Amino acid sequence: MSKKGRRGYRFAGEPAAAPTSVSDEYLRRDRPGLPHVSEPGVVRHFIELSILNHHIDKNLYPLGSCTMKYNPKVNEDVAAMLGFSGLHPEQSDADTQGALEVIHALEEKLCAIAGMDAFSLSTAAGAHGELVGMLIAKKYFADRGENRHKVLVPDSAHGTNPASAHMVGYTNHSIPSGENGEVDLDVLRETIDEDTAVLMLTVPNTLGIFESQIGEILKIAHDHGVLCYMDGANLNALLGRARPGDFGFDIMHINLHKTFSTPHGGGGPGSGPVGVKKELAKYLPGPRVRKDGGEFHLDRKNPNSIGFIHSYFGNFGIYLRALTYITRHGAEGLKRISATANLNANYLANALGDLYPIPYGKRCMHEFVASGEQYRKYGVKTLDIAKRLLDFGYHAPTIYFPLIVSEALMIEPTETESKETLDRFIDVMKQIAKEAAENPELLRSAPHETPVRRLDEVTANRKPILTAPLQE
Amino acid sequence: MNFDNMRFTKNHEWVAFENGSDVVTVGITDFAAGELGDIVFVELPEIGTTVESMQAIGTIEAVKTVADLYSPVSGVVKEVNGSLEENPDVVNKSPFKDGWFLKIDLEDRAQLDDLMAKSDYDTLVGR
Amino acid sequence: MPYIYHTDEERREMLDAIGLESEDQLFTQIPEAFRLTEPLAIGTGLSEYETVQHFQEIASRNNPAGGMTSFLGGGIYDHIVPSVIKHLAGRSEFYTAYTPYQAEVSQGTLQVIFEYQSLISRLTGLPVANASMYDGATAFAEAALMAAKVTRRSRIVHSTNINPRFVGVLKTYATAQDLQLIAIPHSDSGDIDRDSLLAELGDEVAAVLVQTPNYFGVLEAPWKIREAITNVGALLVVAVDPCSLSIFRSPGDYGADIAVGEGQILGNDMSFGGPLLGFMACKQKFVRSLPGRLVSETTDVDGKRAFTLTLQTREQHIRREKATSNICTNQGLLALKSTVYMALLGETGFHELGKICHARAHELASMIEASPGYSLRFDGPYFREFVVRCPVDATTVISEARKVGILAGIPLSKFYGSNAKNDLLVAVTEKRTTQDFEAFGSVLKNVS
């Protein structure tokens, strides 16, 4: 496709003069090695690649804890408006009143939705939000002259939780889940102490279970002076029904790319706004947008802030999409989202639970974790079940997570799937269960119908090839 | 395979010793290698490092898991198996021989008495 | 309700199937005391048409640089975004997919990342590049953390002429990990003061961080300090503008250990500074310490060429607290746009872009220097951005220019205090024409 002489784009003013005012030692002697392709050649190449992807506009994407819901098209139109997409981040407050209003409005709406007192939108992803949460905790305790270093995280938590705690020098202590899949209060009481800085919880947890003792858990933590952090990855289950701030959480993050429908983009950009209670608001990362009468302005002088966490204001284009989504729904609409997400998950759990047992029970919130354990006897692993699903045009659920369920299949259908789609998915899961018993090899060698089949990951890890060789 | 001159830990490391020498060879068992699956990378301490028994001194990586390597004994690292850098699969193929990890000059020979014999290790892993 | 399929009848059937009377019972796990009885205070929903009108009204209260004659830079630049990019990035197949966890149905995303890694590697002259990071500032900070981990040292030396937005984030990350930052002043030419740097080098130093072109637009000569840095066992980390690599030496060429930077200019909107694209490349020997995702070429069971995520044991979902970083996402969609951009411009177009920016910037600079009272603040070589010393407070120039629809630049007093109150940072891209320069010149003539 690449052939010297081909061009995909020409600028006015070509050919430009070579730089003369700069001494030779600064100049590049080699050529960087970009390809030579025509515009239609570029388009064909990327279209060819695009059709190899599974995506939410094609079919169900039941990846647990990732909330792969439909990404409304109008969100994209709003983010693309020149009045937003053409703004330079160093423009004056006077030239960016609309943008500052967007930030202010989304912060206010997130406060109302989550029951927190203040939000900062600067963090570019959920894990980025967790890091900020930990930095806020560290600063809070430093200001109080307390030297706490422990973070308590349930064993069902996402891997970013302990990694984020570690990034600020905190030590991670895992709390085992009780038999009902919830935090074991006795273990919590034994583990928590005056060295504990933060208790990190995901609510509902990664099993799709709401911590029914949430009030008591947070009270135990607060009695020890501990700050309570909520990983809001699963907020979709609670929209308009209950608020983390009311439970007593001090800090939380929200994943706009999950709950608020912003596209996942093949792995990003995301956005992970951090919300806090009033007494922690002064620690939020800067800059902050303030409203003065009818005018908005940027406040970069926040002496108590943990500092800056992004070049500018975070992923502005992403929160435009989220605000569009919230504007479309309003209070009543958000309530329908959580109800429908939970309805769809329970409907699937109920239908699949006999063939794929759900160790912590069929009643769930927005997602549930089933087990493929009983197919081990045919030599079939959960990985094989996941791969076979690809043959039927579905993405696989999240697998082998959380670690506390063996051969885990973590399924989150979201609210934007129809009953027909769910019924078809149930039928396929039943068929796969049957195949596991009758023709296990069919699963072990799956997928068969995808653009490529199972990959040699061992060689990719032993001798990774991370770049294409330069062709002359 | 002669396991008489070998001792084992509950972390699935083995120690091979020779009479009259304070230098022992350390590796991981066939059971551990099998549980990890295809090993893709091994990180070992530098020669000359002083290590303590039960201390994490390296890592063993498979495609989707990573395990710490714990030193089964206390002493000083005398030699490491450089060939694992290029061919970590040797650990899967020959865990007790070519897939050895490192040699340690024992601080105290008596510490070998605290480790398990092969038969006890086999019981531990249910064989 | 928008975006939901179910009819009332279907809801009823589904509730019956799970044995519930009402949807409210889906929430009985939540203790009653915490269940909301009032609607959220966010107002009622709008129709799609009303929503678009609402946001058009808000957007109309912005005056976007993209619609004006802008000389704003400082890390984000008003370059042309070719039409092809939004059409390809607007494909559902790309933007509504997630992280390629199931490689067999994610080859599109995976190959794009592989191509992105390859092109970043070639631009930077370093053999390994990750799948991208949040933005240039966080990539810069993560590079410092990575250097500290690799060297097991905690002193980070950086120059004061690095983008202050980068340094701001570096400070936050450094505090988290108890790293000490040492700032080196810049010389009269605008580049790092080499004597001050040499005086700070010692065996506690994990890394020296430089930026080229730096915040003043001046090109650094990192090859002059590399040996001294290597001699004390520290790493050389270079923040670089990818556009400049079309004509200027690559970090790999002069022995940098890690290169990072902001990739917004590679086909991405300015979008009020987000989302952005952080890139990061390094020497082969540091690959296992590199944060972020990596894609490797491999084969499938039939021997067909394919791509997969690799070296995942570095990452948080496997190594948990011992991971190289807590980073989980990359900026996939922006990496895609950049890959399309680099392929579309290609070798020749990218080289022309660099030459055009360089030539235009120098054309404007000569014109400004010819204006009475105006001069260039630094005499070091520059690419497409430079500091103008004005005869008056730079903010006066800015407000006068703004009256005629020109964004004159960034006042350096924003970061460097009152000593820099007359200094104006001016950037020129291929969008700016000689007519734009003349209009700018007329403003300067009236402000002196």
Side-chain angles (χ1 to χ4, degrees):
Chain A
M1 190 170 61
S2 174
K3 194 178 262 183
K4 250 185 189 156
R6 282 186 182 153
R7 293 285 304 273
Y9 197 83
R10 273 172 209 278
F11 294 96
E14 285 190 31
T20 48
S21 61
V22 179
S23 108
D24 274 357
E25 64 173 333
Y26 290 89
L27 297 180
R28 187 161 191 147
R29 285 163 288 207
D30 62 332
R31 281 302 180 86
L34 304 187
H36 305 266
V37 197
S38 67
E39 176 172 325
V42 169
V43 171
R44 288 233 171 116
H45 174 69
F46 287 97
I47 294 295
E48 221 167 82
L49 292 183
S50 75
I51 60 174
L52 304 177
N53 274 357
H54 184 86
H55 55 105
I56 189 63
D57 282 353
K58 185 180 179 196
N59 203 354
L60 180 70
Y61 211 132
L63 208 50
S65 272
C66 296
T67 315
M68 298 301 292
K69 61 168 76 177
Y70 173 66
N71 308 143
K73 303 303 168 193
V74 67
N75 296 357
E76 302 304 309
D77 290 349
V78 169
M81 289 175 182
L82 181 67
F84 298 124
S85 66
L87 283 178
H88 189 287
E90 302 283 1
Q91 284 192 254
S92 67
D93 291 352
D95 278 339
T96 57
Q97 283 297 299
L100 300 182
E101 180 180 334
V102 165
I103 294 174
H104 195 264
L106 182 57
E107 287 180 1
E108 275 192 339
K109 297 222 192 278
L110 293 180
C111 285
I113 290 166
M116 305 303 279
D117 296 321
F119 262 90
S120 159
L121 309 179
S122 298
T123 39
H128 208 200
E130 291 172 24
L131 172 62
V132 164
M134 293 303 107
L135 286 167
I136 288 173
K138 206 174 174 183
K139 194 122 204 269
Y140 165 83
F141 287 116
D143 282 358
R144 294 168 63 92
E146 294 182 54
N147 185 22
R148 298 175 179 239
H149 59 86
K150 278 168 70 171
V151 173
L152 307 188
V153 184
D155 55 3
S156 60
H158 196 244
T160 51
N161 291 176
S164 302
H166 182 74
M167 273 189 90
V168 306
Y170 281 160
T171 55
N172 173 56
H173 295 259
S174 180
I175 317 181
S177 305
E179 273 175 26
N180 57 0
E182 298 183 25
V183 169
D184 186 322
L185 263 64
D186 291 334
V187 178
L188 177 66
R189 283 195 193 92
E190 279 165 31
T191 321
I192 205 160
D193 57 20
E194 311 309 317
D195 285 336
T196 307
V198 184
L199 170 67
M200 277 183 112
L201 294 178
T202 306
V203 184
N205 65 22
T206 56
L207 296 165
I209 294 173
F210 190 91
E211 299 286 349
S212 57
Q213 308 271 358
I214 189 73
E216 183 60 20
I217 293 171
L218 299 197
K219 187 178 178 304
I220 293 170
H222 285 146
D223 284 349
H224 286 82
V226 171
L227 289 177
C228 298
Y229 184 98
M230 181 170 132
D231 179 332
N234 296 338
L235 189 67
N236 208 41
L238 305 179
L239 282 179
R241 307 285 169 167
R243 308 191 306 169
D246 299 340
F247 308 155
F249 281 102
D250 305 292
I251 317 173
M252 73 174 299
H253 80 261
I254 292 176
N255 304 71
L256 297 184
H257 49 284
K258 296 179 181 178
T259 308
F260 295 102
S261 82
T262 73
H264 283 73
S271 181
V274 176
V276 292
K277 287 291 174 58
K278 203 172 283 154
E279 57 276 18
L280 298 175
K282 62 180 177 182
Y283 298 115
L284 284 172
R288 311 279 302 139
V289 174
R290 313 278 182 206
K291 191 175 181 184
D292 244 339
E295 300 270 296
F296 298 92
H297 70 271
L298 275 177
D299 180 3
R300 293 183 188 275
K301 293 192 183 70
N302 301 289
N304 294 297
S305 163
I306 58 143
F308 299 101
I309 197 76
H310 185 269
S311 303
Y312 303 99
F313 323 106
N315 287 343
F316 179 74
I318 302 304
Y319 36 92
L320 269 170
R321 291 170 171 90
L323 186 61
T324 302
Y325 185 75
I326 294 168
T327 306
R328 283 282 280 125
H329 282 84
E332 199 48 39
L334 293 188
K335 269 181 85 171
R336 305 304 300 164
I337 290 173
S338 53
T340 313
N342 294 4
L343 177 66
N344 284 359
N346 277 279
Y347 183 72
L348 277 187
N350 184 66
L352 294 175
D354 291 337
L355 285 171
Y356 302 89
I358 304 168
Y360 295 96
K362 283 184 190 176
R363 278 301 306 284
C364 61
M365 300 291 282
H366 67 301
E367 69 185 358
F368 60 95
V369 181
S371 170
E373 180 68 36
Q374 69 188 50
Y375 303 101
R376 285 293 295 259
K377 62 176 179 279
Y378 307 116
V380 167
K381 293 178 291 188
T382 280
L383 178 72
D384 305 321
I385 296 169
K387 294 298 182 197
R388 183 65 180 142
L389 264 173
L390 308 180
D391 278 338
F392 293 93
Y394 300 103
H395 197 276
T398 300
I399 52 174
Y400 299 108
F401 185 83
L403 307 172
I404 53 175
V405 173
S406 75
E407 299 293 318
L409 286 153
M410 186 191 208
I411 300 175
E412 180 183 14
T414 83
E415 72 280 7
T416 57
E417 297 300 334
S418 68
K419 181 168 176 295
E420 291 98 313
T421 300
L422 301 180
D423 285 336
R424 270 196 304 270
F425 180 71
I426 292 163
D427 288 343
V428 165
M429 288 297 281
K430 284 179 180 166
Q431 184 181 331
I432 292 174
K434 202 160 158 246
E435 288 173 355
E438 291 169 1
N439 187 3
E441 186 49 34
L442 188 63
L443 273 62
R444 284 194 294 263
S445 56
H448 307 276
E449 311 293 334
T450 46
V452 295
R453 295 177 57 214
R454 279 199 210 189
L455 304 185
D456 181 355
E457 296 196 62
V458 173
T459 306
N461 277 276
R462 281 185 184 153
K463 302 212 155 49
I465 303 170
L466 304 174
T467 55
L470 190 56
Q471 279 156 2
E472 275 315 310
Chain B
M1 207 66 224
N2 178 11
F3 293 108
D4 293 345
N5 287 345
M6 289 174 98
R7 293 291 178 271
F8 296 81
T9 71
K10 64 175 172 39
N11 294 322
H12 312 287
E13 286 94 11
W14 54 259
V15 181
F17 56 92
E18 285 168 45
N19 290 333
S21 166
D22 277 350
V23 178
V24 296
T25 308
V26 173
I28 62 166
T29 66
D30 55 343
F31 176 83
E35 285 292 300
L36 285 166
D38 294 308
I39 290 165
V40 298
F41 182 71
V42 177
E43 186 189 16
L44 297 172
E46 281 172 30
I47 292 168
T49 311
T50 302
V51 297
E52 275 183 45
S53 163
M54 297 303 285
Q55 177 195 352
I57 55 167
T59 50
I60 311 156
E61 296 185 13
V63 175
K64 296 257 163 83
T65 51
V66 56
D68 282 320
L69 172 69
Y70 294 95
S71 182
V73 291
S74 302
V76 177
V77 177
K78 295 302 278 185
E79 201 179 332
V80 295
N81 186 352
S83 72
L84 299 184
E85 200 173 317
E86 268 299 292
N87 300 306
D89 52 316
V90 179
V91 181
N92 292 107
K93 286 182 192 145
S94 174
F96 290 114
K97 195 165 165 274
D98 299 339
W100 64 277
F101 281 13
L102 65 165
K103 297 191 180 189
I104 296 175
D105 193 352
L106 291 179
E107 181 186 282
D108 162 21
R109 206 179 161 82
Q111 54 185 314
L112 292 177
D113 301 340
D114 299 337
L115 304 179
M116 280 180 271
K118 180 72 161 57
S119 56
D120 293 334
Y121 177 74
D122 283 344
T123 309
L124 178 83
V125 298
R127 289 198 282 220
Chain C
M1 280 305 136
Y3 325 128
I4 289 178
Y5 281 86
H6 302 337
T7 63
D8 290 346
E9 199 178 312
E10 282 171 329
R11 282 181 193 279
R12 188 66 261 156
E13 281 174 44
M14 292 172 80
L15 284 169
D16 286 346
I18 53 179
L20 294 184
E21 296 278 320
S22 72
E23 284 184 351
D24 286 343
Q25 288 178 320
L26 292 161
F27 298 92
T28 48
Q29 289 183 29
I30 303 172
E32 204 169 345
F34 294 132
R35 273 181 248 157
L36 292 179
T37 50
E38 296 293 313
L40 295 173
I42 59 166
T44 51
L46 300 184
S47 73
E48 180 179 290
Y49 184 68
E50 290 168 322
T51 302
V52 170
Q53 280 187 313
H54 172 71
F55 282 98
Q56 264 164 354
E57 193 278 315
I58 296 176
S60 74
R61 273 180 274 135
N62 292 324
N63 297 301
M68 285 195 266
T69 303
S70 172
F71 296 96
L72 284 173
I76 301 297
Y77 300 92
D78 184 19
H79 284 277
I80 293 168
V81 178
S83 293
V84 165
I85 290 174
K86 80 164 187 252
H87 288 280
L88 288 175
R91 292 277 299 196
S92 292
E93 292 88 338
F94 286 128
Y95 86 87
T96 80
Y98 194 27
T99 304
Y101 291 125
Q102 295 293 338
E104 296 88 342
V105 291
S106 309
Q107 286 297 301
T109 296
L110 285 162
Q111 186 168 338
V112 168
I113 295 174
F114 180 77
E115 292 178 0
Y116 165 84
Q117 289 173 182
S118 301
L119 295 175
I120 293 295
S121 154
R122 290 175 195 180
L123 281 192
T124 56
L126 286 162
V128 180
N130 72 10
S132 75
M133 314 189 78
Y134 305 140
D135 68 350
T138 50
F140 182 68
E142 290 266 10
L145 264 45
M146 176 178 158
K149 231 166 254 174
V150 165
T151 58
R152 297 198 180 93
R153 298 175 180 183
S154 61
R155 278 168 87 88
I156 304 289
V157 177
H158 68 91
S159 52
T160 51
N161 59 20
I162 289 177
N163 188 339
R165 302 288 183 217
F166 282 23
V167 176
V169 175
L170 173 67
K171 281 182 181 158
T172 307
Y173 276 67
T175 309
Q177 305 233 325
D178 293 326
L179 304 180
Q180 301 105 51
L181 298 182
I182 292 131
I184 303 291
H186 58 82
S187 75
D188 288 341
S189 298
D191 61 352
I192 189 169
D193 186 273
R194 281 196 286 277
D195 291 337
S196 309
L197 170 68
L198 294 177
E200 283 296 342
L201 288 180
D203 58 11
E204 291 295 298
V205 175
V208 174
L209 276 43
V210 296
Q211 183 181 26
T212 183
N214 60 39
Y215 195 66
F216 307 140
V218 174
L219 292 160
E220 295 282 350
W223 49 90
K224 292 182 180 164
I225 52 176
R226 190 198 55 79
E227 201 178 322
I229 294 167
T230 310
N231 284 347
V232 295
L235 303 191
L236 171 60
V237 176
V238 181
V240 66
D241 173 352
C243 192
S244 73
L245 298 176
S246 54
I247 46 177
F248 297 112
R249 282 176 77 177
S250 69
D253 185 38
Y254 47 79
D257 295 287
I258 305 172
V260 293
E262 176 52 61
Q264 174 267 330
I265 73 112
L266 300 170
N268 295 292
D269 291 326
M270 295 185 285
S271 190
F272 208 32
L276 298 175
L277 175 70
F279 65 85
M280 191 171 199
C282 70
K283 286 183 172 166
Q284 187 70 43
K285 63 179 170 184
F286 302 128
V287 62
R288 282 178 185 274
S289 305
L290 186 67
R293 292 193 179 124
L294 285 169
V295 168
S296 171
E297 184 182 325
T298 184
T299 51
D300 76 354
V301 288
D302 299 325
K304 198 167 164 187
R305 185 184 187 224
F307 301 89
T308 181
L309 291 173
T310 193
L311 305 186
Q312 291 184 75
T313 48
R314 299 165 301 119
E315 295 184 58
Q316 46 72 29
H317 65 276
I318 292 174
R319 200 169 290 217
R320 297 176 83 86
E321 70 266 29
K322 288 182 186 163
T324 49
S325 161
N326 74 338
I327 196 164
C328 184
T329 52
N330 67 339
Q331 299 288 93
L333 200 61
L334 288 89
L336 165 71
K337 289 182 176 178
S338 299
T339 309
V340 174
Y341 182 84
M342 288 186 272
L344 191 71
L345 264 61
E347 185 70 54
T348 315
F350 195 60
H351 190 65
E352 285 297 332
L353 172 70
K355 287 193 301 179
I356 292 171
C357 291
H358 183 267
R360 295 264 164 92
H362 285 71
E363 182 188 337
L364 176 63
S366 319
M367 204 197 76
I368 290 175
E369 280 191 290
S371 305
Y374 291 86
S375 59
L376 293 197
R377 170 73 182 79
F378 300 111
D379 62 6
Y382 59 95
F383 171 45
R384 63 140 135 59
E385 195 165 22
F386 49 88
V387 177
V388 175
R389 174 142 285 185
C390 308
V392 295
D393 193 316
T395 56
T396 310
V397 177
I398 290 168
S399 54
E400 285 306 308
R402 179 63 190 82
K403 288 178 187 162
V404 294
I406 294 174
L407 298 170
I410 298 171
L412 279 193
S413 56
K414 214 168 174 174
F415 307 106
Y416 296 92
S418 56
N419 282 346
K421 75 177 172 42
N422 287 14
D423 294 344
L424 178 67
L425 181 65
V426 176
V428 184
T429 70
E430 75 283 5
K431 274 193 178 178
R432 298 287 78 86
T433 61
T434 306
Q435 288 91 315
D436 294 338
F437 299 162
E438 283 163 1
F440 195 11
S442 313
V443 173
L444 300 187
K445 221 173 279 168
N446 296 327
V447 190
S448 56

